[in-house]
Amino acid sequence: MKLFKRASKLDQDEYDGKVAAGLDRAFAAAGKRDVQLSQLRLVIFSDLHRGARDGADDFQRSEPAYSAALGWYLERGYELVLLGDVEELWENDIKEVLPRYAACTALERAFMDGPGLTRFFGNHDIDWHDPNRVKKHLDPMLPGIEVLEALKLRILDGDRQLGLLFLVHGHQGTDLSDRAAGVSRLVLRWVWRIIQDKLGWLSTTPADDYVLRARHDIAMFRWSRRQALASPADQRAAMIAGHTHHPVFPDHPPPQPGTGGADELEARLREARSRGAGADELAALRAELERLRALGRRAPYTPPVIDPPTYFNTGCCCFPDRDITGLEFADGSVRLIRWLDDAGEARPKELAPPIALADLFARLAAASTTAAG
């Protein structure tokens, strides 16, 4: 008898049930914080997967975009929310990762001293579920930090509650990401990391398995829809998650991430040829260009239709093309953004029209009334 049934062997209903059980538990245990709509100003990133700055480290290529984003949001008074899988602790020991990204952590600490920093754990940094490890390793760099599993943000407009934003990484309920995280970590640390370091393979992009990602997105949306439509008004929530590495934004499927930069590389390759660059430089540019072109030829991933708008996904901060995606909450609206912009400049690119939170919660209330009728 097998201890776990592989996700690929589950039908959608079985998979939904596992995810729902994990999310039900996390939602019930989550703390709550009140925020006035007019004062809500935060940016959410997830899935950095910071490693040991070796060939297996998927984050270092995106570090410039991430650092630029943090500087931008710090100066504009945004609270920073890191929604899990910040460190890659399946492949690396804590003591390998933290010193190598001390500069990033110092930027994050500046948010603690200013507009605020909230951290969550995911499956790849589930070590932070243990407060003793947080106290020993993170507290010296981020004094007083608490690492959460989930949080309910109660959005208020004066004395009136509009609704909840449920923040959670999104791995809950899946066998190897939740219940067997310790086993998975050992396998990755001692086997996969060696292979990846030698060959440069990426380990943290669920884009490699569109079927599983679609199944997980569907499961999270179905859970969030059921929760929103079946709950009383004071518990009605829209879920904000990460984990799948692909942004999901209701009403407007975002462009496929991970393939940007091909035009710029092609121009750099032409310039290098024109000045008589050597074979090593030309080979490196051509290899990266063909890699990005190949990414663009993959079958496009289409997220499920999110209606009503109960499920948002941040994407990740370790895309192969060095970009990162996240969610901004400001001016009463939520926006899906990418760093860097189309020109490669250190500015956010809006990937979908913003959604006003008052309208979002009104749509949830209307859908709940319809479902009850």
Side-chain angles (χ1 to χ4, degrees), residues 154-340:
R154 187 168 69 155
I155 309 302
L156 304 173
D157 187 6
D159 295 331
R160 182 169 65 96
Q161 176 179 320
L162 298 179
L164 299 176
L165 297 176
F166 175 51
L167 277 58
V168 67
H169 180 66
H171 65 283
Q172 286 75 11
T174 53
D175 287 334
L176 288 179
S177 290
D178 196 358
R179 293 187 286 157
V183 176
S184 302
R185 180 168 61 246
L186 290 174
V187 171
L188 273 176
R189 185 172 296 174
W190 298 112
V191 180
W192 174 251
R193 181 184 175 186
I194 296 171
I195 297 172
Q196 188 192 25
D197 190 26
K198 296 298 183 183
L199 300 181
W201 292 353
L202 292 174
S203 69
T204 59
T205 50
D208 293 338
D209 189 343
Y210 286 172
V211 173
L212 183 58
R213 179 201 283 167
R215 184 171 293 173
H216 200 80
D217 273 335
I218 290 168
M220 290 205 286
F221 168 55
R222 286 180 176 175
W223 178 87
S224 65
R225 180 178 58 189
R226 175 179 61 79
Q227 190 285 327
L229 301 189
S231 297
D234 64 346
Q235 291 296 306
R236 192 176 298 137
M239 181 168 71
I240 313 296
H243 185 55
T244 68
H245 289 214
H246 192 280
V248 174
F249 199 79
D251 303 334
H252 192 91
Q256 177 73 13
T259 60
D263 290 344
E264 177 190 353
L265 272 172
E266 194 169 6
R268 288 171 58 191
L269 181 60
R270 287 196 302 268
E271 186 276 331
R273 289 191 192 283
S274 68
R275 59 179 164 79
D280 287 345
E281 181 180 354
L282 294 176
L285 288 170
R286 183 63 180 271
E288 180 68 4
L289 174 61
E290 296 302 335
R291 185 184 69 84
L292 290 180
R293 284 173 171 170
L295 284 172
R297 292 193 294 270
R298 294 181 306 183
Y301 170 72
T302 303
V305 176
I306 309 299
D307 185 26
T310 58
Y311 169 48
F312 296 75
N313 197 295
T314 60
C316 76
C317 292
C318 54
F319 285 119
D321 66 355
R322 301 174 175 84
D323 285 340
I324 68 174
T325 57
L327 294 168
E328 287 182 9
F329 290 81
D331 305 318
S333 297
V334 55
R335 295 171 178 82
L336 175 66
I337 48 88
R338 185 192 75 219
W339 285 78
L340 307 165

Side-chain angles (χ1 to χ4, degrees), residues 1 5 12-13 15 28 43 63 116 147 159 164 182 232-233 235 246 258 262 266 270 279 286 351 354 357 369:
M1 179 178 179
K5 188 175 180 181
Q12 186 68 55
D13 288 341
Y15 196 92
V43 61
E63 182 183 4
V147 183
D159 295 331
L164 299 176
Q235 291 296 306
H246 192 280
E266 194 169 6
R270 287 196 302 268
R286 183 63 180 271
L351 296 180
L357 291 178
T369 299

Side-chain angles (χ1 to χ4, degrees), residues 20-66:
L23 290 173
D24 282 341
R25 175 192 55 76
F27 187 82
K32 187 181 293 184
R33 185 200 304 173
D34 290 351
V35 183
Q36 287 289 336
L37 181 65
S38 61
Q39 298 173 1
L40 181 65
R41 196 169 180 83
L42 56 86
V43 61
I44 305 178
F45 294 118
S46 75
D47 296 273
L48 284 67
H49 293 274
R50 293 199 289 236
R53 290 195 184 277
D54 56 14
D57 186 349
D58 295 337
F59 173 72
Q60 57 186 334
R61 74 192 70 213
S62 297
E63 182 183 4
Y66 177 75

